[in-house]
Amino acid sequence: MEHIIIRQEEEKDYRKVEEITRAAFNYPERILRGKIGCPYEHWMVHELRHRDGIIELSLIAQLENGTIVGHIICSKAVVKKEGYILPVLNFGPLSVLPEYQRQGVGQALVRTMIEKAQKLDYGAILFFGRPEYYPQFGFKEAVVYGISDAEGYNYPAFMAMELKEGYLKDVRGGRFFESDIYNDELNRETVMEFDKNF
C-alpha cells in the first residue's frame, strides 16, 4: 500500500469525507441485511463540523496520489460530577474505505489524532468503541478512572485515556456526556432527509 498522509480536513474535502464515511459503515448493505434503520455516520460527520466538532481534530488519510481513504473527527464532551464539569474529548466516527481497511489507515488516524490532541493541550479522551481494538493505543475501560456513561453504566466498549496524567482524578464517580448528535433515535428523520442527497 502507498504511503499514508494524515492532514487536517479542509472544506473542499467535506463531500468526499461524507461519502467515505457512508461507505465505511457499509450502508446500504446494513439496511439490506436489516441491521440499521437509516444511514447515520455520514450525517454525524456533517453535523459535527457545525456544532460540537473540533475542526483542528478533523483529520483525513490520503494516499500520495491524493485519494482520500479515511477520516476521524473529535468532538466536545464533558464529565460531570456534583456540579463540577470537566471538558474532555470524544471521537468518532473513525471511517476507512472498505477496500483500505486492515491496512494501517485507521491506526495512522488514531495515533495522529492522539498526538495532535496532546499538542493542543487536551486532557483526556473518552468514547465508545471496539474494546478489542483500541487498547493498543493506550485506551482503558473508563471504569478504571471511576467514570460511567450518562446513564451510570460501565462496559468494555466505554473507554478512556488521559492525555495529561491525573486529569481525570477529580471526577471519579462522574458521568460522561457527549453531543446529542450521537443519539440516532433523536435524529432519525433529519438523517433520512440528509441521506437523500447521496
Side-chain angles (χ1 to χ4, degrees):
M1 184 173 162
E2 294 180 48
H3 177 67
I4 304 166
I5 300 162
I6 307 296
R7 65 169 175 82
Q8 188 169 327
E9 182 190 40
E10 300 173 19
E11 191 170 348
K12 64 183 175 64
D13 305 315
Y14 285 4
R15 175 67 182 199
K16 186 64 179 174
V17 163
E18 290 162 12
E19 291 171 355
I20 288 169
T21 303
R22 192 174 190 265
F25 285 89
N26 297 314
Y27 176 81
E29 288 80 4
R30 285 193 300 177
I31 285 180
L32 295 175
R33 294 196 310 263
K35 299 290 185 185
I36 187 172
C38 66
Y40 185 52
E41 290 84 0
H42 61 315
W43 172 82
M44 190 186 303
V45 169
H46 175 82
E47 196 68 15
L48 280 172
R49 293 189 190 112
H50 311 291
R51 289 175 53 185
D52 299 312
I54 298 168
I55 301 304
E56 298 88 349
L57 291 170
S58 182
L59 308 173
I60 65 167
Q62 72 176 42
L63 306 181
E64 290 179 319
N65 67 8
T67 302
I68 299 173
V69 296
H71 174 258
I72 191 170
I73 189 168
C74 289
S75 56
K76 299 171 187 173
V78 296
V79 178
K80 296 182 181 180
K81 180 187 177 184
E82 299 166 0
Y84 182 57
I85 300 176
L86 183 70
V88 296
L89 288 177
N90 181 27
F91 85 85
L94 166 63
S95 309
V96 178
L97 279 174
E99 58 267 36
Y100 291 96
Q101 292 175 4
R102 296 180 179 82
Q103 297 181 50
V105 177
Q107 289 180 347
L109 282 163
V110 173
R111 291 188 196 284
T112 303
M113 178 272 293
I114 293 169
E115 181 182 312
K116 191 163 186 180
Q118 287 175 314
K119 288 179 180 175
L120 291 169
D121 206 34
Y122 288 100
I125 304 170
L126 289 91
F127 77 109
F128 302 93
R130 288 172 31 215
E132 70 277 11
Y133 180 73
Y134 289 101
Q136 67 180 302
F137 305 106
F139 287 99
K140 303 173 184 176
E141 290 185 35
V143 70
V144 170
Y145 298 100
I147 298 169
S148 61
D149 71 7
E151 303 298 320
Y153 297 110
N154 282 101
Y155 33 86
F158 179 38
M159 288 172 276
M161 171 193 287
E162 286 186 325
L163 300 176
K164 297 178 182 177
E165 188 175 350
Y167 186 79
L168 298 173
K169 66 180 173 54
D170 293 332
V171 288
R172 292 192 70 84
R175 295 187 181 193
F176 173 67
F177 294 86
E178 60 186 348
S179 171
D180 66 7
I181 281 172
Y182 295 96
N183 185 332
D184 59 343
E185 294 299 326
L186 180 65
N187 297 298
R188 185 170 297 272
E189 288 185 17
T190 303
V191 172
M192 291 298 284
E193 192 61 33
F194 174 75
D195 189 64
K196 291 176 182 177
N197 298 313
F198 288 80

